[in-house]
Amino acid sequence: NVRKNDYLGIGFNALQDQAGASRLKRTKGQANLSFMKYLGGNKEKDFYLVAGAQAGIGQHSLDWSDLWFSGQYDAGNEVINFGLPSGEVESRTGGVYPDFSAGLLWYLVGTDFSFYAGGAIYHLNTPNISIFATGVDRLQRRYVGHFGGEVGITKYLSVLPAASVFFQGPSTDINIGTNFRYTSGDADDLALRIGAWAHVSGKENGVAFEAVTVTSMLEMKTWTLGLSYDINTSQLTPASNARGAFEVSFTYIMPA
């Protein structure tokens, strides 16, 4: 708490993943800073504005030790000879790149309703993420817009609609849906959320309805446990038989 009703947030996140026979590895670390400013209000509602920024570094690398190319095929013995030159670029690790992002969020909190709307721009500097030391592969800026809120229907039941839109190069992603929240009315008691969400994507060749996600959550005062399942509705439906994947989430909120 910087001053009364104003808050400063600091965070850090790190990620490393590896995929495929080439062991394509992505490594990144980012620092996050946000400031929430109280804009004023009255007995019925309060207004806030949040500004956030993210700065970090990353690196992409590739391991070619298990890959072979046509120049390494020994036709006489009908085997792959890894000792032969591949004829490909031998650089397997790109340089360390900086990455910057920023965003704004406005929201109000009322006695029986709340609303938020915000946006962010990721990869402001369009970093070069090439896996080759001398290559150029610019990461395009990603534009994000989102809004949502909670509206009380009765003393015990409320609805939480929300939507988010992502734009990056020729691609668009839209997620829209709602949750219903039931509680006994006591802030310390267990609350239950159930809902459904639609995922739509857009590319140069048109718009596709990708998936429906059903969700459920259990809430306590300081933690939330969630379970969701994706129902595949994309062109992969014949292969997946509409099956998606389960996702489990856990959120803990440290008391102020």
Side-chain angles (χ1 to χ4, degrees):
N1 194 340
V2 179
R3 61 180 67 181
K4 185 177 180 180
N5 296 324
D6 293 345
Y7 294 87
L8 182 70
I10 300 173
F12 178 81
N13 58 279
L15 168 71
Q16 184 178 88
D17 64 13
Q18 184 174 291
S22 64
R23 290 185 282 278
L24 174 63
K25 184 181 293 184
R26 299 185 304 166
T27 304
K28 64 173 64 175
Q30 295 166 322
N32 309 283
L33 180 69
S34 66
F35 179 71
M36 184 177 74
K37 175 65 179 177
Y38 177 63
L39 300 179
N42 51 45
K43 294 182 179 180
E44 296 182 351
K45 54 185 177 292
D46 295 300
F47 300 89
Y48 298 86
L49 183 65
V50 183
Q54 184 181 78
I57 58 175
Q59 186 178 48
H60 291 184
S61 63
L62 190 68
D63 183 355
W64 288 6
S65 61
D66 287 338
L67 300 180
W68 65 273
F69 299 87
S70 58
Q72 296 172 304
Y73 180 67
D74 185 342
N77 297 310
E78 297 183 347
V79 295
I80 307 302
N81 185 348
F82 286 94
L84 295 175
S86 67
E88 303 295 324
V89 178
E90 292 299 328
S91 173
R92 303 168 183 174
T93 302
V96 175
Y97 61 84
D99 193 7
F100 304 102
S101 306
L104 285 173
L105 176 73
W106 175 88
Y107 74 97
L108 67 89
V109 179
T111 54
D112 59 355
F113 68 95
S114 63
F115 177 79
Y116 67 86
I121 304 176
Y122 292 82
H123 320 306
L124 283 164
N125 57 319
T126 60
N128 179 17
I129 61 171
S130 175
I131 60 174
F132 304 117
T134 58
V136 177
D137 183 11
R138 293 289 177 184
L139 182 58
Q140 294 179 310
R141 293 188 182 96
R142 176 157 56 98
Y143 301 90
V144 179
H146 55 98
F147 66 89
E150 181 175 8
V151 179
I153 301 175
T154 69
K155 180 180 178 180
Y156 308 107
L157 182 65
S158 60
V159 60
L160 296 86
S164 59
V165 183
F166 303 80
F167 301 96
Q168 188 170 25
S171 301
T172 303
D173 269 341
I174 301 172
N175 293 283
I176 186 169
T178 189
N179 279 332
F180 290 90
R181 183 176 185 269
Y182 178 80
T183 179
S184 65
D186 188 335
D188 293 328
D189 283 350
L190 188 70
L192 174 66
R193 290 192 196 187
I194 56 173
W197 303 81
H199 177 206
V200 179
S201 68
K203 300 179 177 64
E204 293 176 330
N205 57 351
V207 177
F209 185 32
E210 301 287 352
V212 173
T213 303
V214 291
T215 63
S216 61
M217 297 181 186
L218 293 175
E219 296 180 29
M220 288 295 287
K221 187 174 182 180
T222 58
W223 59 263
T224 300
L225 178 65
L227 176 66
S228 64
Y229 183 75
D230 291 338
I231 302 171
N232 192 345
T233 60
S234 70
Q235 294 179 347
L236 295 175
T237 300
S240 67
N241 197 24
R243 290 174 297 186
F246 284 101
E247 181 175 322
V248 178
S249 63
F250 179 79
T251 304
Y252 176 74
I253 301 174
M254 185 178 294

